[in-house]
Amino acid sequence: MGRKSMMGAPDQTRLRIEAMEEQRSLRRTQMKQARVDRAAEEQRNLSAGNPGDVDFIGLVRRWREEHAGMAPPHRHAAAATVDGGGKN
């Protein structure tokens, strides 16, 4: 009695299934692009003489970019001997 005709508007279940299929297709497309990007990054690293795990190298690069200029300047050896070497 509460059913809609097959020719009428799609029900919520059908709409949800279609939305899930669209999301799956989008995820698959994004993953294909991520694989291509990862392979390109690996080639860039190898040609720059920096072989290794692409993810780890990316994490290090991002950390360095975020923390650039935050380190205090190094003390030179000459300055250390003038003020007593910095030791107590």
Side-chain angles (χ1 to χ4, degrees):
M1 295 246 167
R3 293 181 144 178
K4 292 187 179 185
S5 161
M6 294 299 281
M7 301 301 287
D11 64 358
Q12 291 300 309
T13 303
R14 184 75 223 154
L15 292 174
R16 179 73 177 139
I17 290 170
E18 290 171 359
M20 289 171 65
E21 288 172 349
E22 288 179 32
Q23 292 169 353
R24 180 189 313 146
S25 177
L26 179 63
R27 281 193 312 271
R28 288 181 178 181
T29 302
Q30 290 172 338
M31 287 308 299
K32 280 183 183 180
Q33 185 61 45
R35 282 192 293 272
V36 169
D37 293 345
R38 182 181 172 93
E41 180 73 18
E42 187 171 3
Q43 284 302 318
R44 279 192 299 273
N45 288 345
L46 287 173
S47 64
N50 194 12
D53 182 34
V54 174
D55 295 326
F56 179 72
I57 293 170
L59 287 172
V60 170
R61 183 181 303 117
R62 280 190 295 279
W63 187 89
R64 286 179 177 167
E65 289 169 357
E66 290 172 6
H67 294 86
M70 295 176 74
H74 291 286
R75 294 177 56 184
H76 296 300
T81 58
V82 170
D83 67 1
K87 295 180 183 176
N88 290 330

